[in-house]
């Protein structure tokens, strides 16, 4: 049996895992003191990198910057809208993250200097230095793409595409909807967060209307001609929601992109000139990377280009961008994708800091959507780094998708899979005990 050194013993006794101790001993490249990793954004991308780094090497100095004290997941928020989850069950704090030895700063990163390697915070404390920076700010909304839409208008016509107050507001407005009221949803153009999300939301609103307000109706205006898991959703719309959902996809004659809204009157107007007066409008506009990414010079157009091998930014050294903010096509923007990318980013940081070989990542995604009680469908696959038109991209391997006409048993099983995924994910991200599924 090999003898453990005094230093290894001290690390293990201090609570570090044997793996962490081992990795700590093989990183002469760090120089003096522990390496400083600063992470901007405490969603699934950022929180997952933080926890994985600490689990791999407890001696790393890991700081997570996130303005919200509580994170409401967009994933599973449609189930809250449908009445299958409570708001509390999709809202999580950072106490468990802190217990892992991660420094959580409740603040907003307002500037990043990628030359000086510093991050400035809103509340004006001294800028934070970093050895490696991870930027995971999620999305911002392009309000300006729809005339009359703005952060103010979103208080009346919620998008509910960022978790928290907006999610709650959409549900409150749904509860207050008069029976017989009209809901209008504007679906977003590609690329956007959670490709099946608007259609899962339509099913959940459909379920809510059938059970609570059967005379009300949902009209969807969509700027796209096709959408994710379309055959499955169309089957569900026909089977369950024929009387309450009308979906208008853009076609050769009509462009159903919503171009104008009036928050005072409830009017929603499409490019083809169709106008509806909504009692409740759910306007989901075009999207872009969270503002700090552009401010730091990490974007090209709306999103942040990255090397698909490891999600290092192509715009700045020692910086990673992951999750929804990154250009990860053909990988969809999902929490599952963000967490998969986080595993690769954490491994790459450790390898880089330890001067070990950095191997290209392998990724995975699955997106589940709830169609009706105990009835969910899924789409997913593995993703490998490749090149398309001279640019890096992630090529799907072994894709899978639920099929129309599947048995009730299989759909129940798929629902259960998604519920298990959610509970395991939030336990891993936020260090919580698994939540109760009941609303
Ligand atoms: C209705 C809906 C349903 C969905 N369902 C699913 C699903 O079933 N499965 C799935 O996998 N995905 C789903 N998604 C997608 C999923 O929510 C996102 O892909 C995921 O949250 C992206 O994670 P992220 O860490 O990149 O960004 P986010 O989750 O947005 O986290 C980013 C964090 O960064 C913080 N931040 C932003 N700017 C700054 C700054 N300057 N300084 C500090 N912090 C900052 C924000 O406050 C935020 O907490 C759904 C999305 C929606 C809208």
């Amino acid at each position: 049996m090999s003898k453990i050194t005094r230093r290894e013993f001290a690390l293990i006794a201090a609570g570090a895992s044997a793996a962490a101790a081992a990795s700590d001993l093989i990183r002469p490249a760090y120089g003096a003191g522990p390496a400083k990793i600063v992470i901007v954004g405490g969603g699934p991308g950022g929180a997952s990198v933080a926890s994985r780094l600490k689990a791999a090497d407890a001696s790393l100095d890991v700081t997570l910057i996130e303005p919200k004290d509580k994170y409401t997941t967009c994933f599973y928020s449609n189930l809250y809208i449908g009445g299958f989850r409570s708001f509390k069950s999709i809202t999580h704090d950072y106490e468990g993250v802190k217990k892992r030895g991660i420094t959580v700063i409740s603040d907003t990163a307002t500037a990043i200097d990628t030359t000086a390697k510093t991050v400035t915070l809103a509340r004006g404390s001294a800028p934070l230095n970093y050895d490696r920076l991870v930027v995971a700010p999620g999305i911002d909304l392009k309000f300006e793409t729809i005339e009359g839409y703005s952060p103010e208008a979103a208080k009346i016509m919620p998008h509910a595409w960022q978790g928290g107050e907006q999610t709650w507001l959409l549900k409150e407005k749904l509860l207050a909807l008069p029976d017989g009221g009209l809901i209008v949803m504007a679906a977003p153009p590609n690329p956007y967060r959670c490709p099946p999300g608007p259609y899962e939301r339509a099913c959940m609103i459909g379920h809510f209307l059938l059970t609570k307000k059967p005379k009300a109706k949902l009209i969807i205006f969509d700027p796209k001609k096709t959408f994710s898991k379309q055959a499955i959703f169309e089957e569900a719309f026909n089977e369950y929601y024929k009387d309450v959902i009308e979906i208008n996809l853009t076609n050769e004659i009509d462009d159903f992109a919503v171009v104008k809204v009036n928050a005072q009157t409830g009017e929603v107007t499409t490019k083809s000139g169709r106008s509806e007066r909504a009692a409740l409008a759910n306007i989901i506009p075009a999207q872009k990377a969270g503002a700090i990414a552009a401010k730091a010079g990490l974007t090209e157009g709306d999103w942040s280009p990255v090397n698909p091998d490891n999600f290092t930014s192509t715009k700045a050294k020692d910086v990673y961008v992951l999750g929804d903010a990154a250009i990860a096509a053909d990988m969809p923007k999902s929490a599952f994708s963000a967490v998969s990318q986080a595993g690769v980013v954490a491994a790459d940081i450790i390898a880089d800091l330890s001067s070990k070989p950095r191997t290209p990542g392998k990724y995975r995604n699955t997106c589940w959507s709830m169609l009706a009680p105990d009835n969910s469908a899924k789409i997913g696959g593995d993703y490998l780094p490749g090149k398309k038109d001279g640019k890096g991209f992630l090529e799907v391997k072994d894709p899978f998708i639920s099929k129309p006409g599947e048995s009730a048993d299989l759909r129940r099983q798929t629902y259960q899979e998604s519920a298990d995924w959610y509970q395991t994910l939030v336990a891993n991200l936020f260090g919580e005990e698994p939540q109760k599924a009941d609303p």
Side-chain angles (χ1 to χ4, degrees):
M1 203 176 98
S2 66
K3 224 169 139 239
I4 62 168
T5 64
R6 181 177 292 278
R7 179 133 190 270
E8 280 172 290
F9 176 79
L11 280 163
I12 294 164
S17 69
S23 103
D24 182 59
L25 293 171
I26 47 128
R27 55 178 176 78
Y30 287 18
K36 285 189 194 324
I37 322 292
V38 173
I39 300 167
V40 176
S48 186
V49 173
S51 292
R52 284 170 193 252
L53 284 170
K54 268 294 186 190
D57 189 334
S59 71
L60 286 172
D61 179 348
V62 180
T63 300
L64 181 66
I65 306 164
E66 166 60 54
K68 294 187 294 239
D69 291 335
K70 291 198 170 158
Y71 179 88
T72 301
T73 61
C74 279
F75 37 109
Y76 259 46
S77 66
N78 286 330
L79 278 66
Y80 162 63
I81 301 295
F84 297 94
R85 289 268 164 163
S86 65
F87 193 73
K88 190 164 172 268
S89 78
I90 59 166
T91 301
H92 311 277
D93 64 31
Y94 290 92
E95 294 312 308
V97 176
K98 292 177 192 162
K99 280 189 195 140
R100 290 172 173 161
I102 295 159
T103 305
V104 180
I105 301 183
S106 181
D107 207 341
T108 300
T110 51
I112 294 170
D113 182 335
T114 55
T115 308
K117 297 178 93 171
T118 58
V119 177
T120 304
L121 303 180
R123 286 207 280 271
S125 55
L128 301 173
N129 297 309
Y130 65 80
D131 293 306
R132 296 294 179 277
L133 175 70
V134 178
V135 179
I139 57 157
D140 265 337
L141 299 158
K142 295 176 77 176
F143 290 100
E144 69 284 3
T145 56
I146 298 177
E147 191 185 330
Y149 203 46
S150 64
E152 277 307 301
K155 291 179 185 156
I156 301 168
M157 297 178 150
H159 48 77
W161 222 245
Q162 285 163 319
E165 199 180 340
Q166 277 281 312
T167 319
W168 174 84
L169 192 61
L170 178 61
K171 181 67 182 274
E172 289 302 296
K173 288 187 176 286
L174 203 50
L175 290 166
L177 183 81
D179 197 4
L182 175 65
I183 307 171
V184 177
M185 178 197 289
N190 291 321
Y192 62 96
R193 154 178 287 184
C194 193
Y199 315 97
E200 180 190 59
R201 178 172 289 172
C203 289
M204 294 294 94
I205 291 177
H207 174 79
F208 177 87
L209 296 184
L210 285 181
T211 50
K212 302 272 194 282
K213 323 239 171 182
K215 294 197 213 101
K217 192 176 165 185
L218 167 67
I219 296 179
I220 304 165
F221 290 133
D222 204 320
K224 305 182 291 298
K225 293 182 173 173
T226 58
F227 61 88
S228 174
K229 285 189 264 194
Q230 186 167 343
I232 301 277
F233 280 115
E234 285 180 342
E235 183 186 56
F237 292 165
N238 271 326
E239 191 174 341
Y240 303 109
Y241 310 117
K242 218 182 350 221
D243 298 332
V244 288
I245 295 182
E246 172 193 316
I247 179 159
N248 298 285
L249 293 179
T250 288
N251 55 45
E252 302 320 319
I253 302 159
D254 281 310
D255 188 332
F256 284 110
V258 166
V259 291
K260 191 171 166 187
V261 296
N262 183 329
Q264 303 315 317
T265 62
E267 209 146 343
V268 179
T269 308
T270 69
K271 198 165 183 183
S272 320
R274 184 166 158 194
S275 201
E276 295 288 347
R277 191 165 287 223
L280 166 55
N282 175 206
I283 306 298
I284 312 166
Q287 292 153 38
K288 61 183 178 185
I292 188 68
K295 218 172 160 205
L298 299 172
T299 50
E300 223 168 70
D302 286 334
W303 306 98
S304 290
V306 293
N307 173 355
D309 283 355
N310 50 20
F311 281 71
T312 43
S313 166
T314 61
K315 309 289 262 180
K317 197 170 172 295
D318 296 335
V319 177
Y320 296 75
V321 183
L322 81 158
D324 287 358
I327 301 174
D330 288 339
M331 221 178 161
K333 296 185 187 300
S334 74
F336 199 120
S337 293
V339 169
S340 175
Q341 293 158 12
V344 171
V345 167
D348 195 73
I349 290 173
I350 298 275
D352 185 21
L353 292 171
S354 315
S355 302
K356 287 204 159 176
R358 299 164 73 178
T359 45
K362 292 181 184 161
Y363 309 87
R364 189 171 177 77
N365 180 56
T366 306
C367 283
W368 290 272
S369 302
M370 190 167 181
L371 308 168
D374 283 329
N375 182 346
S376 290
K378 63 181 173 182
I379 186 168
D382 293 332
Y383 292 83
L384 293 178
K387 279 227 180 276
K388 192 153 77 180
D389 306 328
K391 291 195 168 173
F393 93 120
L394 288 150
E395 190 180 359
V396 68
K397 301 278 177 200
D398 304 323
F400 56 85
I401 182 166
S402 300
K403 296 182 182 47
E406 283 173 345
S407 69
D409 268 358
L410 181 53
R411 290 293 176 78
R412 190 173 302 113
Q413 209 177 300
T414 308
Y415 166 73
Q416 197 48 53
E417 252 175 53
S418 81
D420 294 346
W421 167 77
Y422 184 87
Q423 302 210 6
T424 307
L425 179 60
V426 297
N428 287 341
L429 286 178
F430 301 105
E432 286 174 358
E433 289 302 309
Q435 304 270 309
K436 269 198 169 166
D438 326 334

